[in-house]
Amino acid sequence: MAEYLVFIWDDETAWAKADPRTVEATMAAHEAFMARHVGALRGGNRLHPSDTATSVRHCADGGVAVSDGAFAETKEVIGGYYLIDAADLDEALRIAVLVPAPFGGVEVRPVRTAG
Amino acid sequence: MDPAVAAAVAEAHRRDWGFVLAATARITRDLDAAEDCVQDAYAEALAAWPASGVPTRPAAWLTLVARRRAMNLIHRNDTLSRRLLLLADAAGPGDGDDTAASQIPDDRLRLIFTCCHPALAAEARVALTLRLLCGLTTGEVASAFLVSEPTMAARITRAKKKIAAARIPYQVPPASELPDRLAAVLDVVHLVFTTGHTAPAGQSLQRRDLAERALDLARMLRHLLPGDPAVAGLLALILLTDARRHTRTTADGRLLLLAEQDRTCWDRAEIGEGLALIRAALKQRLPTRYALMAAIAAIHATAPRWEATDWRQITDLYDALIQIWPSPVVALNRAIAVGEARGPQAGLAALDQLASEPQLAGYHYLPAARAEFLRRLHRTEDARLAYTEARLLADNPVEQDFLTRRISDLERRS
């Protein structure tokens, strides 16, 4: 078994404009997804919007710069994540395609475990 | 070195590399280690076969040697076995055993599905397939795709690292995922073929080595997935196109159009094999794009003369093709068929609809097709300009030479 972190990238402005029923349905879809994959799920959460993010950059001079906002300026930002267990990438992708992400998609990254 | 032995090893390299590597990778579970073991097995063949004679089944001989080396490597270096880089079913008892020659599993499907996994970059899929299934060196793969050898080496290394880190499995996908995954494999084989059929650069029109590798890969897929219509379609397409290989240029390397080719020199055996496959390819309710392209190639292959080509049927097939594969290049070919079926004016009108297509900007076949129809309409100056534009955009020297001659023909006439 291996661990994969599934990042949910979505368009926050589309989220903000979505009608309440879509938001509700998406939340219900996440509940259903979690119930269905309880065996594979190691964790997961929704994040506060990216305007609550704070980035910390290490500078060439050894100093640190703290700034407001997400690390990279992109239309899609990370809105949540799941940590899953899967035998291989194909199994991880079979789970990842079921993650509700109506305003974007997901990125699957293998977790580099010690040992 | 006995030339007969050298030839036998070269032939086994070409025919069996993928088989030997696929069987060895199941033991090493590491593609680099498997490649080393297989390389050693071929070196051992060169040393042993002059004295022992060429074995009756070279692939089995090479596989046993490579797998024995792999077992030794694992015993010597147990960190390798702990790395578990490739995820296949556990090797069963008897695997790697010298007596199991008749039971060596054919793992080439696993290998090609791993090499062509959609999680890998498209250019890496082609590179890995040529390297691992066909045994091309990194330098050969680099020259086929016009990149430097260090760039190609880095691309292959990165792809192998991803296979290991993300755990891309060494498995044939389940039936529910097979059509999509197979489509990715077929695209790679088709790209290898088209790169060989009309080389993007270099002194000659074709790169026979690549075209033949693609034919080998398509035949291998047909052998391993005999009931699959998509595979039948691609193999038919390659055979029916490849059948024209001897007639596409003159003896001194000049390009000949389909209309000018000597059809008696087309490869009748390949045409016959391709036509037989078409039926299997078209039995699907929704034929794949390769099956439709093969059906178009079949109409050319069976027309006794250029003038006897059934352009109406070709136009219908392009209409069907564009439904499932709405690509500007297909639209361009459809427009050419329309021009042949209904006359140059209709062809020109169809081509002009594609003039603002961004994907065709810089594609020399568009101005070349316009030039041909303009020439037939006796619009000599417009035709000359269009040929000149095509000449500026073409990369293959044989095609450039063809276009240059067309321009001077028109200049003589005006």
Side-chain angles (χ1 to χ4, degrees):
Chain A
M1 279 306 212
E3 283 179 356
Y4 295 86
L5 193 56
V6 180
F7 296 96
I8 302 170
W9 286 85
D10 49 23
D11 180 348
E12 281 183 329
T13 54
W15 254 121
K17 279 186 272 177
D19 75 275
R21 269 182 314 187
T22 308
V23 174
E24 211 170 287
T26 307
M27 289 307 134
H30 276 286
E31 295 292 334
F33 169 82
M34 286 189 281
R36 183 169 164 194
H37 296 285
V38 67
L41 280 176
R42 299 282 302 271
N45 274 303
R46 188 180 175 186
L47 302 181
H48 285 293
S50 66
D51 59 13
T52 66
T54 308
S55 294
V56 180
R57 278 189 167 74
H58 292 270
C59 308
D61 64 5
V64 162
V66 175
S67 61
D68 174 44
F71 204 83
E73 283 199 27
T74 48
K75 183 162 130 269
E76 280 92 6
V77 295
I78 298 174
Y81 68 91
Y82 287 109
L83 181 63
I84 62 172
D85 262 340
D88 57 45
L89 182 65
D90 284 356
E91 191 179 309
L93 294 176
R94 265 172 227 135
I95 297 171
V97 296
L98 301 173
V99 171
F103 302 107
V106 302
E107 174 182 331
V108 180
R109 290 279 288 273
V111 175
R112 192 163 172 168
T113 44
Chain B
M1 170 55 61
D2 180 348
V5 168
V9 174
E11 167 66 13
H13 189 279
R14 188 209 148 138
R15 203 187 45 220
D16 301 322
W17 177 277
F19 182 94
V20 179
L21 182 78
T24 307
R26 191 107 82 96
I27 301 220
T28 60
R29 300 188 159 204
D30 175 304
L31 293 170
D32 283 331
E35 281 189 294
D36 289 345
C37 292
V38 173
Q39 197 70 61
D40 288 350
Y42 278 91
E44 201 169 314
L46 273 175
W49 292 1
S52 68
V54 177
T56 44
R57 293 170 57 213
W61 190 98
L62 288 158
T63 306
L64 292 176
V65 171
R67 301 221 299 182
R68 202 182 309 134
R69 281 186 180 268
M71 297 301 270
N72 290 341
L73 199 64
I74 288 169
H75 291 312
R76 260 207 323 273
N77 178 3
D78 66 349
T79 57
L80 181 67
S81 59
R82 258 192 270 122
R83 263 150 71 199
L84 289 181
L85 296 182
L86 277 178
L87 297 161
D89 320 332
D95 272 9
D97 182 339
D98 288 9
T99 59
S102 59
Q103 296 142 33
I104 298 168
D106 191 337
D107 279 332
R108 286 176 296 175
L109 263 189
R110 287 173 193 263
L111 184 57
I112 201 165
F113 275 111
T114 300
C115 291
C116 300
H117 198 284
L120 298 171
E123 64 263 35
R125 297 178 209 166
V126 184
L128 282 179
T129 301
L130 285 173
R131 167 98 183 230
L132 299 179
L133 269 304
C134 302
L136 264 62
T137 63
T138 301
E140 287 168 330
V141 181
S143 81
F145 292 96
L146 310 174
V147 300
S148 73
E149 191 167 337
T151 302
M152 185 54 79
R155 192 178 284 176
I156 290 173
T157 303
R158 198 176 330 120
K160 283 180 178 165
K161 274 195 184 141
K162 176 155 186 191
I163 290 172
R167 294 165 68 106
I168 291 178
Y170 193 55
Q171 262 164 15
V172 177
S176 60
E177 292 167 18
L178 195 68
D180 282 350
R181 294 283 310 277
L182 186 59
V185 171
L186 298 183
D187 286 346
V188 164
V189 177
H190 185 245
L191 178 64
V192 173
F193 179 72
T194 53
T195 306
H197 188 67
T198 303
Q203 278 318 297
S204 57
L205 180 67
Q206 308 185 57
R207 292 259 332 238
R208 289 304 310 159
D209 51 343
L210 291 178
E212 283 167 13
R213 299 303 181 150
L215 186 53
D216 289 345
L217 287 168
R219 283 193 198 283
M220 175 198 90
L221 290 170
R222 174 74 182 157
H223 170 72
L224 296 171
L225 295 169
D228 192 283
V231 171
L234 179 65
L235 179 56
L237 172 63
I238 291 178
L239 285 165
L240 291 165
T241 314
D242 195 57
R244 305 196 288 257
R245 67 191 174 282
H246 296 307
T247 62
R248 296 174 62 223
T249 47
T250 58
D252 56 351
R254 223 158 38 78
L255 183 74
L256 288 174
L257 296 180
L258 203 49
E260 304 164 323
Q261 294 179 18
D262 178 0
R263 295 177 181 229
T264 62
C265 293
W266 285 357
D267 185 330
R268 291 290 140 192
E270 287 196 350
I271 290 174
E273 197 186 342
L275 293 176
L277 286 163
I278 292 247
R279 187 167 304 173
L282 292 175
K283 80 171 184 217
Q284 245 175 344
R285 205 161 44 81
L286 292 170
T288 61
R289 66 182 163 111
Y290 295 126
L292 288 170
M293 289 162 73
I296 293 165
I299 293 176
H300 288 302
T302 51
R305 300 177 323 279
W306 167 258
E307 296 75 23
T309 309
D310 186 346
W311 287 105
R312 204 158 291 275
Q313 205 185 341
I314 290 180
T315 310
D316 290 347
L317 285 165
Y318 272 119
D319 286 341
L321 184 57
I322 214 160
Q323 291 297 316
I324 57 165
W325 188 30
S327 118
V329 175
V330 176
L332 170 60
N333 285 304
R334 186 192 159 276
I336 294 170
V338 164
E340 298 293 348
R342 298 179 212 150
Q345 195 66 58
L348 208 53
L351 286 174
D352 285 342
Q353 286 175 18
L354 304 172
S356 59
E357 185 57 63
Q359 256 184 280
L360 294 178
Y363 191 60
H364 66 283
Y365 291 117
L366 177 58
R370 284 193 75 246
E372 177 60 25
F373 289 139
L374 289 165
R375 190 182 64 83
R376 292 188 204 177
L377 291 166
H378 306 293
R379 289 169 58 183
T380 309
E381 182 52 23
D382 292 339
R384 197 184 61 78
L385 283 173
Y387 274 127
T388 306
E389 187 189 342
R391 169 71 180 74
L392 284 169
L393 296 170
D395 287 324
N396 184 289
V398 176
E399 292 185 327
Q400 288 173 344
D401 169 62
F402 166 82
L403 295 161
T404 304
R405 278 184 292 111
R406 279 289 207 237
I407 295 165
S408 48
D409 286 351
L410 287 171
E411 281 168 350
R412 260 204 308 280
R413 206 182 301 174
S414 58

